Amino acid sequence: MTNPTPVSDPLSIAREVILRPSGLDDARLDRVVSQVLAHSVDFADLYFQLAHEESWALEDGIVKEGSAAIEQGVGVRALAGEKTGFAYSDEIILPALEEASRAARAIASQGSNRMVQAWQPRAGHALYMPLDPVAPTPTRWRGSSGWTARRAPPIHA
C-alpha cells in the first residue's frame, strides 16, 4: 500500500472544496465565532466535514453493485467555564451555521439538560412521488414477461 501524496496547503483546499461552494469565507466564519464568544463563552471552534464514498462490486469484469454516499456538515463547540455545548448541522450554509452556533452557545452558557433543535431544514421541491411500493393495497398487479400484467388476488395481512 502506498502513502498518499502529502497535501501542500490543506486550508486552501478546504476553502475551495467546502467553504466556497457553500457561500462561506473566512470573514463570515470569523463573524460566527465572534458571535459565540460575545456571550460568556471562553472558547469556540468549528468543525467541517465533507466525505464522498463510492463502492463498486465487480464480478467477471462486470459491475454487479455500486453505491455512493456523501456525508457533510458543520459542528460548533462552545466552552464556558467547565460547561461545553455542541451543535451540528448537516447543511453547510450560513443560516444553519448561525443556528448551530447559537445553540452551542446557549447550551454552554446555560448548561441545562434540555434538548435544543439547532436547525430545521426546509422542505425542497419533491422530485419523486411519495408512494410506498410495499404498502398494502386492495389489489396488487403482478407483471410477467412480455410487458403484460394480470390482476392478482388481494393481499391480506
Side-chain angles (χ1 to χ4, degrees), residues 17-100:
V17 175
I18 299 173
L19 298 181
R20 183 145 48 89
S22 302
L24 298 173
D25 57 20
D26 290 354
R28 287 185 172 100
L29 298 182
D30 285 341
R31 191 180 78 227
V32 169
V33 171
S34 296
Q35 290 171 350
V36 176
L37 293 171
H39 297 87
S40 304
V41 172
D42 303 318
F43 175 82
D45 61 352
L46 307 173
Y47 172 81
F48 291 87
Q49 174 185 352
L50 177 62
H52 294 253
E53 181 181 36
E54 288 186 6
S55 174
W56 300 95
L58 302 174
E59 189 174 303
D60 296 326
I62 299 171
V63 176
K64 293 292 184 178
E65 224 177 282
S67 67
I70 298 174
E71 293 181 19
Q72 68 174 20
V74 58
V76 181
R77 179 176 60 168
L79 284 80
E82 294 186 15
K83 296 181 277 183
T84 304
F86 292 99
Y88 181 83
S89 172
D90 289 332
E91 296 184 70
I92 304 176
I93 56 175
L94 187 59
L97 178 57
E98 290 172 335
E99 282 294 320

Side-chain angles (χ1 to χ4, degrees), residues 89-127:
S89 172
D90 289 332
E91 296 184 70
I92 304 176
I93 56 175
L94 187 59
L97 178 57
E98 290 172 335
E99 282 294 320
S101 67
R102 284 192 289 272
R105 180 186 67 219
I107 293 167
S109 321
Q110 298 169 4
S112 67
N113 291 330
R114 62 188 176 97
M115 292 183 61
V116 177
Q117 175 69 38
W119 173 249
Q120 184 66 18
R122 296 187 180 109
H125 61 283
L127 297 176

Side-chain angles (χ1 to χ4, degrees), residues 136-142 150-157:
T137 58
T139 59
R140 304 236 0 194
W141 290 90
R142 187 178 307 149
R150 59 188 164 98
R151 192 175 185 126
I155 298 173
H156 300 286

